[in-house]
Amino acid sequence: MSADLPTAKTLPPLTPGTLYLVATPIGNLEDISLRALRVLRECDVVAAEDTRRTGQLLKHFEISKPMLSYFQFNEAKRSEEILERLKHGEKVALVTDAGTPGISDPGERVVRAAVAAGLRVESVPGPCALVAALTASGLPTGEFHFIGFLPHKSGQRRKQLEALKEFAGTLALYESPYRIEKLLGELYEVFPDRTIVLARELTKKFEEFLRGTPGELIALVAKRSLKGEFVVLVSGEEDVPTDNADNADETR
Ligand code: SAM
């Protein structure tokens, strides 16, 4: 495989009538890809979850582009508009606030509609908190189940966790910092012997991985409050260590 980076002369132009799903940094701006920057520069319009936030990102990279807002509560209406634009040959870049569109973020609806309409969809891969957390967690990566955010209601949360008790692979969840203690309590009830990995503030200055059983992590959280963004990983049914050597007081 050639290690040469493509130059502006060798790169093919963007394809008209294509929806580009552009992954953006989850904390560290260096994680934006060269291709993401080119797509953002060369597209006709950027569909953004939050135009103010994406505006800041574009400004940082000295890109000026028309934007339209595309978020959870206007997805249906905006999807139609995006489809019309694609049918007229426009190149539309879809970005969310951070990470990969469609992963616990808007995107799925317009992608499904575009695919159903026979339109072209391209992924411009890059940062994704799930992948960053899982791959550095030290837990098995071969088989995993991504839950995204659990529902807010206690009964529903518990039911969903219980249903995953038999799953052999690693479980991965997103959780808000306000509910991390609640989640650890629930994991203590449902998965008391499993190894939990809290992947906190990935790609940012205070990134850390906290490992231990739910009980060990509850003790840790009682000593220091944990802020920031989290991905929570739970070792699979078949990956319970006989001697849980991880020391939850230690950050690795
Ligand atoms: N689409 C995004 C992705 O590709 O990862 C996820 C968006 S979702 C609305 C936001 C959640 O992702 C956060 O609540 C947190 O659970 C997780 N997350 C995002 N950035 C993170 C980071 N830097 N460190 C840890 N977790 C992060």
Side-chain angles (χ1 to χ4, degrees), residues 26 98-100 103-105 127-129 149 174-175 199 201-202 204 229-231:
I26 57 169
T100 300
I103 300 297
S104 294
D105 259 344
C128 177
F149 290 97
Y174 285 164
E175 190 51 285
E201 293 287 86
L202 292 162
K204 302 183 196 175
E229 296 195 279
F230 291 90
V231 181

